[in-house]
């Protein structure tokens, strides 16, 4: 063993110098990187193509309007709308719960319809209008559904709340909030592990019965 | 998720050209595909977004309803024509997924969704559907959700759709476009049993595109019911589901349509039970007899034997609702 810090060094590489080990690490890292690189990029690299050609595979221009503000973005095809909102636009009100379309914490409105932003690719909402929880209030004036969730204690930990509220607003707009039973069915895509369901239903019923514009 | 190329052609021809290459997948709503890509169950090199194609329409024709492949599940379930002429389809759609997912999922995508077998989803487990030849984790594993009809020793997964169970019962026809033109196949012949090729869910060729489904007019609108039995009341896949449609004349059954979900690798149409109902009076006794016939050939595994009782009870219950007995 040439190195004193040999506790993780394989026995059969005893004659490697520090320098050659660094080279080995560099090379193997590079090989791993190539192995993880998408086929078109590797092909582009192998053929010595201009990197700009490879870039075409990487990012796609996306123009969207989020909460009334227009954005011109450059987006990887694999980025979900949820990640785009949170990571690129710093709109962290929309929550990542399960990230597999099972919990509803990521619910936003696309052109007025509620969807799971975790299963929506950012490139597929090009040209569309997105509303997130940050877009409901008018300045300091909370949306009636936000007020009602506060009044009825429609949450405990609050993690599912942005998704619950976006879904609740859509539930009323769709005309599916005419009874507690109907609300339960049409809010079933939003899971609350604290179990605030009865209060969430009360909050929605009050807004619905109050007849306020949502 | 692995990086991939993304294209969104504006014509059917360019979609057909684009999908005819290995490593390419179509994306419509993405509710299942994006999920599978995140988990590494599938890793396409290229996605062809077909949402620019004009395939969203729902129209009445001389012989029935035509529903475009890109019509959203939520839109179809609440469409006036569908609710009036084919309420069974509306009921089946509304029992599936969540309102958010139904706002994204399309008719064609619903047909193409993969099984929710946990061994298919877990890439550390063997699965002949995901990786042919690797074995079936469910066969000797936790197979509570699995098939009781038509299973193969290689795969005992079930098709997860509700919509497809409704369409199978309603004699729907799938309209498919390929590079040589259009073809039509009966809905019951679209999906396939696992047999020796569990990796293949259906008879759509790699270079073909679903463009719509047609449902012939019928006399079932007054007596239809979709019953879905699951672990929670909403937003869960079926343990067993039943699509029941009856044409009743003065207390006697003239025609019947029955299909089940959650029991086979494809929507499971119950032809023999339907025949047994023709000419019978509307009664619990008739329905129980039909349910018994429907269960012929059923086979349970270690954890799903409860389906051998749940399935016939569900058939009887669905028929009681459809006929108006309850």
């Amino acid at each position: 063993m040439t190195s004193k810090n040999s506790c993780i060094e394989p026995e059969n590489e005893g004659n490697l110098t520090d320098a050659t080990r660094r080279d080995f690490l560099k090379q193997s890292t590079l090989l791993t990187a190539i192995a993880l690189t998408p086929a078109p990029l590797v092909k582009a690299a192998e053929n010595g193509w201009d990197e700009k050609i490879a870039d075409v595979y990487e990012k796609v221009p996306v123009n969207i309007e989020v909460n009334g503000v227009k954005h011109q973005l450059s987006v990887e095809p694999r980025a979900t709308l949820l990640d785009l909102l949170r990571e690129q636009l710093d709109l962290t009100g929309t929550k990542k719960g399960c990230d597999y379309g099972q919990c509803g914490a990521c619910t936003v409105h696309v052109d007025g319809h509620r969807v799971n932003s975790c299963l929506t690719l950012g490139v597929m909402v090009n040209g569309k209008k997105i509303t997130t929880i940050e877009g409901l209030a008018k300045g300091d004036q909370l949306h009636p559904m936000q007020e009602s969730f506060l009044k009825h204690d429609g949450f405990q930990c609050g993690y599912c709340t942005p998704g619950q509220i976006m879904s609740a607003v859509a539930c009323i707009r769709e005309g599916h909030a005419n009874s507690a039973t109907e609300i339960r069915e049409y809010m079933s895509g939003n899971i609350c592990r604290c179990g605030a369901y009865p209060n969430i239903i009360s909050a929605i019923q009050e807004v619905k019965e109050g007849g306020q514009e949502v | 998720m692995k990086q991939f190329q993304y294209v969104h052609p504006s014509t059917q021809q360019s979609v057909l050209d684009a999908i005819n290459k290995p490593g390419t997948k179509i994306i419509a709503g993405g509710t299942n595909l994006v999920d599978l890509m995140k988990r590494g169950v599938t890793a396409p090199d290229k996605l062809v977004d077909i949402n620019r194609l004009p395939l969203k329409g729902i129209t009445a024709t001389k012989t029935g309803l035509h529903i475009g492949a890109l019509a959203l599940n939520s839109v179809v379930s609440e469409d006036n024509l569908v609710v009036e002429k084919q309420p069974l389809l509306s009921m089946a759609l509304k029992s599936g997924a969540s309102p958010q997912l139904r706002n994204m999922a399309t008719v064609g995508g619903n047909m193409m969704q993969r099984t929710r077998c946990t061994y298919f989803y877990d890439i550390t487990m063997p699965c002949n559907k995901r990786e042919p030849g690797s074995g079936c984790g469910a066969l000797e594993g936790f197979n509570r959700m699995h098939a009781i009809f038509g299973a193969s020793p290689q795969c005992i997964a079930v098709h997860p759709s509700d919509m497809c169970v409704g369409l199978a019962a309603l004699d729907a026809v799938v309209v498919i476009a390929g590079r040589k033109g259009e073809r039509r196949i009966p809905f019951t012949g679209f999906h396939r049993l696992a047999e020796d090729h569990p990796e293949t869910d259906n008879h759509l060729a790699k270079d073909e595109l679903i463009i719509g489904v047609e449902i012939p007019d019928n006399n079932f609108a007054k007596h239809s019911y979709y019953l879905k039995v699951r672990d929670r009341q909403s937003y869960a896949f079926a343990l067993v589901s039943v699509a029941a449609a009856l044409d009743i004349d003065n207390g006697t059954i003239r025609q019947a349509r029955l299909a089940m979900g959650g029991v086979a690798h494809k929507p499971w149409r119950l032809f023999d039970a339907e025949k047994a109902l023709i000419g019978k009076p509307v009664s619990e006794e008739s329905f129980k007899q039909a349910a018994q016939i429907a269960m012929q050939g059923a086979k349970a595994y270690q954890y799903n034997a409860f389906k051998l009782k749940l399935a016939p009870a569900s058939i009887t219950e669905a028929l009681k609702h459809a006929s108006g007995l309850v």
Side-chain angles (χ1 to χ4, degrees):
Chain A
M1 291 286 162
T2 50
S3 166
K4 283 173 186 167
N5 304 321
S6 61
C7 59
I8 57 162
E9 207 171 42
E11 294 287 336
N12 59 359
E13 289 180 12
N15 57 355
L16 273 182
T17 63
D18 279 357
T20 57
R21 187 165 54 240
R22 272 197 300 275
D23 287 345
F24 170 76
L25 284 172
K26 270 185 198 166
Q27 283 164 7
S28 60
T29 309
L30 181 67
L31 285 170
T32 310
I34 289 172
L36 294 172
T37 307
L41 281 184
V42 177
K43 214 172 277 169
E46 281 170 359
N47 296 342
W49 290 350
D50 189 293
E51 263 191 19
K52 276 176 188 164
I53 297 172
D55 279 349
V56 174
Y57 300 139
E58 280 192 314
K59 291 199 172 180
V60 176
V62 170
N63 295 319
I64 51 171
E65 189 177 316
V66 183
N67 302 329
V69 181
K70 287 182 177 152
H71 297 274
Q72 289 189 328
L73 304 169
S74 182
V75 178
E76 276 191 11
R78 64 180 169 176
T80 60
L81 173 59
L82 173 62
D83 286 341
L84 189 155
L85 290 168
R86 292 180 55 88
E87 310 295 333
Q88 271 189 269
L89 300 177
D90 278 337
L91 291 168
T92 53
T94 306
K95 298 295 183 238
K96 183 179 279 196
C98 68
D99 208 23
Y100 294 108
Q102 296 176 353
C103 77
C106 68
T107 303
V108 300
H109 298 176
V110 174
D111 283 348
H113 300 289
R114 53 173 156 163
V115 301
N116 299 91
S117 62
C118 75
L119 293 182
T120 304
L121 294 176
V123 289
M124 292 175 70
V125 293
N126 189 25
K128 296 188 190 285
K129 290 181 180 176
I130 319 293
T131 307
T132 70
I133 189 73
E134 290 93 341
L136 283 188
K138 287 177 183 153
D140 286 341
Q141 194 192 341
L142 291 180
H143 184 279
M145 193 62 77
Q146 292 173 309
E147 291 280 11
S148 196
F149 266 65
L150 282 171
K151 182 178 166 189
H152 289 273
D153 254 345
F155 49 85
Q156 280 186 41
C157 83
Y159 197 80
C160 73
T161 312
Q164 297 280 0
I165 291 179
M166 295 312 289
S167 219
V169 170
C171 188
I172 293 183
R173 286 183 185 162
E174 291 162 6
H176 291 139
N178 298 306
S179 67
T181 308
E182 193 181 23
I183 293 170
R184 263 185 224 109
E185 173 61 32
Y186 280 87
M187 289 296 290
S188 70
N190 293 81
I191 309 294
C192 170
R193 287 290 80 136
C194 301
Y197 298 115
N199 299 1
I200 291 170
I201 290 163
S202 303
I204 298 172
Q205 277 184 306
E206 181 166 305
V207 177
K208 163 75 182 167
E209 283 156 19
Q212 295 139 291
E213 199 183 324
V214 294
Chain B
M1 198 192 300
K2 202 194 83 171
Q3 190 59 279
F4 55 86
Q5 255 185 297
Y6 168 81
V7 291
H8 48 132
S10 59
T11 67
Q12 193 167 298
Q13 191 53 52
S14 44
V15 167
L16 292 173
D17 290 342
I19 59 175
N20 191 31
K21 292 181 185 86
T24 304
K25 278 200 185 296
I26 288 174
I27 187 162
T31 56
N32 190 208
L33 183 59
V34 174
D35 186 14
L36 293 169
M37 287 167 66
K38 284 185 178 187
R39 294 171 198 263
V41 176
T42 187
D45 296 322
K46 187 176 190 174
L47 282 191
V48 181
D49 178 353
I50 60 168
N51 284 293
R52 288 169 77 186
L53 303 186
L55 299 174
K56 280 187 174 11
I58 303 170
T59 48
T61 65
K62 277 181 193 165
T63 53
L65 274 186
H66 177 97
I67 303 175
L70 287 174
L72 295 177
N73 284 190
S74 54
V75 171
V76 178
S77 73
E78 303 206 335
D79 181 85
N80 288 338
L81 280 170
V82 174
V83 173
E84 179 202 328
K85 287 171 162 260
Q86 309 294 350
L88 180 60
L89 175 60
S90 171
M91 280 186 261
L93 277 165
K94 284 182 178 179
S95 75
S98 69
Q100 290 97 311
L101 291 167
R102 295 197 292 271
N103 272 344
M104 305 166 71
T106 63
V107 168
N110 190 316
M111 291 165 62
M112 296 301 289
Q113 68 178 308
R114 311 299 308 271
T115 183
R116 294 321 196 275
C117 173
T118 48
Y119 297 93
F120 173 71
Y121 264 72
D122 185 343
I123 59 168
T124 64
M125 299 300 279
C127 172
N128 288 323
K129 185 180 276 300
R130 176 170 29 79
E131 202 184 324
S134 64
C136 172
L139 203 57
E140 303 288 325
F142 189 56
N143 44 35
R144 184 169 172 273
M145 299 294 288
H146 291 73
I148 53 170
F149 288 111
S152 134
Q154 295 199 33
C155 177
I156 60 170
V158 299
H159 195 264
S161 172
D162 293 298
M163 180 197 82
C164 292
V165 179
L167 288 172
L170 292 167
D171 301 315
V173 171
V174 188
V175 189
I176 294 167
R179 288 184 302 152
K180 289 175 190 160
E182 285 184 14
R183 69 180 178 117
R184 282 168 161 72
I185 55 173
F187 200 91
T188 46
F190 180 81
H191 295 97
R192 57 185 294 284
L193 290 176
E195 296 172 337
D196 289 336
H197 288 284
E199 74 280 8
T200 310
D201 294 347
N202 55 59
H203 293 288
L204 188 76
K206 182 75 188 77
D207 58 353
E208 289 182 318
L209 171 73
I210 302 168
I211 56 174
V213 291
E214 292 171 347
I215 313 173
D217 285 333
N218 57 49
N219 292 317
F220 299 128
K222 272 191 216 158
H223 298 291
S224 296
Y225 197 75
Y226 191 78
L227 178 74
K228 186 175 182 182
V229 185
R230 44 194 155 171
D231 285 332
R232 58 184 179 199
Q233 215 170 356
S234 180
Y235 197 20
F237 290 99
L239 294 166
V240 167
S241 69
V242 181
L246 297 169
D247 176 4
I248 299 169
D249 179 31
N250 213 8
T252 302
I253 298 164
R254 267 202 302 221
Q255 285 288 326
R257 297 289 182 273
L258 282 170
M260 269 202 278
V263 295
H265 194 259
K266 57 185 282 187
W268 193 248
R269 179 87 177 255
L270 310 172
F271 291 107
D272 290 343
E274 290 171 10
K275 272 186 214 143
L277 283 167
I278 295 172
K280 295 277 165 56
V282 169
S283 71
E284 184 160 354
E285 195 48 41
S286 311
F287 300 156
K288 279 187 173 166
Q289 280 172 9
Q292 214 173 2
I293 291 168
M295 293 307 291
Q296 282 168 7
K299 179 186 178 237
Y301 297 87
Q302 189 177 1
Y303 295 104
N304 69 351
F306 70 95
K307 289 192 182 184
L308 298 181
K309 285 184 181 171
L310 184 62
S314 301
I315 294 169
T316 307
E317 190 67 13
L319 285 165
K320 281 163 74 176
H321 279 278
S323 64
L325 272 188
V326 286

